[in-house]
mmCIF file of all heavy atoms in Angstrom:
data_model
loop_
_atom_site.group_PDB
_atom_site.id
_atom_site.type_symbol
_atom_site.label_atom_id
_atom_site.label_comp_id
_atom_site.label_asym_id
_atom_site.label_seq_id
_atom_site.Cartn_x
_atom_site.Cartn_y
_atom_site.Cartn_z
ATOM 1 N N ASP B 112 -1.149 -3.425 -16.948
ATOM 2 C CA ASP B 112 -0.946 -3.636 -15.495
ATOM 3 C C ASP B 112 0.398 -3.363 -14.954
ATOM 4 O O ASP B 112 0.662 -2.983 -13.842
ATOM 5 C CB ASP B 112 -1.391 -4.935 -15.128
ATOM 6 C CG ASP B 112 -2.901 -5.119 -15.145
ATOM 7 O OD1 ASP B 112 -3.653 -4.006 -15.144
ATOM 8 O OD2 ASP B 112 -3.489 -6.094 -15.185
ATOM 9 N N VAL B 115 1.420 -0.343 -13.157
ATOM 10 C CA VAL B 115 0.973 -0.100 -11.758
ATOM 11 C C VAL B 115 1.134 -1.451 -10.872
ATOM 12 O O VAL B 115 0.391 -1.570 -9.898
ATOM 13 C CB VAL B 115 -0.501 0.432 -11.644
ATOM 14 C CG1 VAL B 115 -0.460 1.804 -12.196
ATOM 15 C CG2 VAL B 115 -1.388 -0.540 -12.441
ATOM 16 N N GLY B 116 2.078 -2.249 -11.338
ATOM 17 C CA GLY B 116 2.244 -3.565 -10.853
ATOM 18 C C GLY B 116 2.441 -3.664 -9.333
ATOM 19 O O GLY B 116 2.771 -2.769 -8.647
ATOM 20 N N PRO B 117 2.618 -4.890 -8.972
ATOM 21 C CA PRO B 117 2.878 -5.290 -7.605
ATOM 22 C C PRO B 117 4.150 -4.763 -7.011
ATOM 23 O O PRO B 117 4.237 -4.503 -5.829
ATOM 24 C CB PRO B 117 2.570 -6.736 -7.407
ATOM 25 C CG PRO B 117 2.652 -7.280 -8.927
ATOM 26 C CD PRO B 117 2.301 -6.104 -9.753
ATOM 27 N N THR B 118 5.138 -4.763 -7.813
ATOM 28 C CA THR B 118 6.352 -4.116 -7.312
ATOM 29 C C THR B 118 6.223 -2.695 -7.765
ATOM 30 O O THR B 118 5.762 -2.526 -8.872
ATOM 31 C CB THR B 118 7.609 -4.955 -7.799
ATOM 32 O OG1 THR B 118 7.663 -4.513 -9.242
ATOM 33 C CG2 THR B 118 7.560 -6.483 -7.584
ATOM 34 N N GLY B 336 -4.430 2.240 -9.588
ATOM 35 C CA GLY B 336 -3.349 2.938 -8.864
ATOM 36 C C GLY B 336 -2.602 1.857 -8.014
ATOM 37 O O GLY B 336 -2.755 0.647 -8.223
ATOM 38 N N ALA B 338 -1.224 1.116 -3.866
ATOM 39 C CA ALA B 338 -1.185 1.536 -2.381
ATOM 40 C C ALA B 338 -0.630 0.539 -1.600
ATOM 41 O O ALA B 338 -0.465 -0.705 -1.956
ATOM 42 C CB ALA B 338 -2.725 1.682 -2.050
ATOM 43 N N ALA B 343 -4.898 -4.528 3.138
ATOM 44 C CA ALA B 343 -5.030 -4.387 1.688
ATOM 45 C C ALA B 343 -6.445 -3.702 1.410
ATOM 46 O O ALA B 343 -7.031 -3.692 0.207
ATOM 47 C CB ALA B 343 -5.203 -5.740 0.911
ATOM 48 N N SER B 362 -9.673 -3.660 -2.883
ATOM 49 C CA SER B 362 -8.424 -4.332 -2.206
ATOM 50 C C SER B 362 -7.278 -4.272 -3.163
ATOM 51 O O SER B 362 -7.473 -4.284 -4.231
ATOM 52 C CB SER B 362 -8.649 -5.843 -1.799
ATOM 53 O OG SER B 362 -9.868 -5.884 -0.964
ATOM 54 N N THR B 363 -6.172 -4.034 -2.466
ATOM 55 C CA THR B 363 -4.986 -4.082 -3.255
ATOM 56 C C THR B 363 -4.579 -5.604 -3.406
ATOM 57 O O THR B 363 -5.094 -6.434 -2.646
ATOM 58 C CB THR B 363 -3.787 -3.428 -2.551
ATOM 59 O OG1 THR B 363 -3.649 -3.799 -1.262
ATOM 60 C CG2 THR B 363 -4.095 -1.903 -2.557
ATOM 61 N N GLU B 364 -3.791 -5.875 -4.247
ATOM 62 C CA GLU B 364 -3.341 -7.320 -4.406
ATOM 63 C C GLU B 364 -2.653 -7.911 -3.229
ATOM 64 O O GLU B 364 -2.816 -9.154 -3.033
ATOM 65 C CB GLU B 364 -2.380 -7.346 -5.639
ATOM 66 C CG GLU B 364 -3.084 -7.217 -6.941
ATOM 67 C CD GLU B 364 -2.271 -6.646 -7.995
ATOM 68 O OE1 GLU B 364 -0.999 -6.793 -7.962
ATOM 69 O OE2 GLU B 364 -2.698 -6.049 -8.949
ATOM 70 N N GLU B 365 -1.891 -7.094 -2.607
ATOM 71 C CA GLU B 365 -1.237 -7.606 -1.289
ATOM 72 C C GLU B 365 -1.495 -6.577 -0.247
ATOM 73 O O GLU B 365 -1.512 -5.379 -0.428
ATOM 74 C CB GLU B 365 0.147 -7.785 -1.542
ATOM 75 C CG GLU B 365 0.618 -8.952 -2.296
ATOM 76 C CD GLU B 365 2.119 -9.143 -2.405
ATOM 77 O OE1 GLU B 365 2.617 -9.723 -1.495
ATOM 78 O OE2 GLU B 365 2.735 -8.533 -3.328
ATOM 79 N N ALA B 366 -1.421 -7.030 1.022
ATOM 80 C CA ALA B 366 -1.563 -6.142 2.192
ATOM 81 C C ALA B 366 -0.161 -5.559 2.457
ATOM 82 O O ALA B 366 0.798 -6.257 2.169
ATOM 83 C CB ALA B 366 -2.127 -6.805 3.359
ATOM 84 N N THR B 368 2.024 -3.835 1.331
ATOM 85 C CA THR B 368 3.070 -3.605 0.439
ATOM 86 C C THR B 368 2.448 -2.953 -0.743
ATOM 87 O O THR B 368 1.400 -3.065 -1.068
ATOM 88 C CB THR B 368 3.842 -4.904 0.093
ATOM 89 O OG1 THR B 368 5.079 -4.690 -0.658
ATOM 90 C CG2 THR B 368 2.901 -5.934 -0.671
ATOM 91 N N SER B 370 1.138 -2.337 -3.911
ATOM 92 C CA SER B 370 0.520 -3.223 -4.945
ATOM 93 C C SER B 370 -0.609 -2.651 -5.548
ATOM 94 O O SER B 370 -1.231 -1.525 -4.935
ATOM 95 C CB SER B 370 0.237 -4.596 -4.339
ATOM 96 O OG SER B 370 -0.648 -4.384 -3.215
ATOM 97 N N GLY B 371 -0.893 -3.078 -6.686
ATOM 98 C CA GLY B 371 -1.981 -2.415 -7.484
ATOM 99 C C GLY B 371 -3.463 -2.710 -6.968
ATOM 100 O O GLY B 371 -3.737 -3.742 -6.295
ATOM 101 N N TYR B 372 -4.306 -1.780 -7.324
ATOM 102 C CA TYR B 372 -5.807 -1.958 -7.080
ATOM 103 C C TYR B 372 -6.498 -1.389 -8.307
ATOM 104 O O TYR B 372 -5.937 -0.733 -9.150
ATOM 105 C CB TYR B 372 -6.183 -1.238 -5.809
ATOM 106 C CG TYR B 372 -6.037 0.279 -5.880
ATOM 107 C CD1 TYR B 372 -7.216 0.997 -6.392
ATOM 108 C CD2 TYR B 372 -4.922 0.865 -5.526
ATOM 109 C CE1 TYR B 372 -7.102 2.325 -6.589
ATOM 110 C CE2 TYR B 372 -4.830 2.314 -5.662
ATOM 111 C CZ TYR B 372 -5.896 2.988 -6.142
ATOM 112 O OH TYR B 372 -5.760 4.462 -6.373
ATOM 113 N N SER B 373 -7.774 -1.742 -8.506
ATOM 114 C CA SER B 373 -8.478 -1.266 -9.525
ATOM 115 C C SER B 373 -9.901 -1.123 -9.107
ATOM 116 O O SER B 373 -10.558 -1.820 -8.326
ATOM 117 C CB SER B 373 -8.340 -2.226 -10.729
ATOM 118 O OG SER B 373 -9.082 -1.877 -11.793
#
Side-chain angles (χ1 to χ4, degrees):
Chain B
D112 287 341
V115 289
T118 70
S362 301
T363 55
E364 287 149 22
E365 285 185 83
T368 187
S370 58
Y372 67 86
S373 179

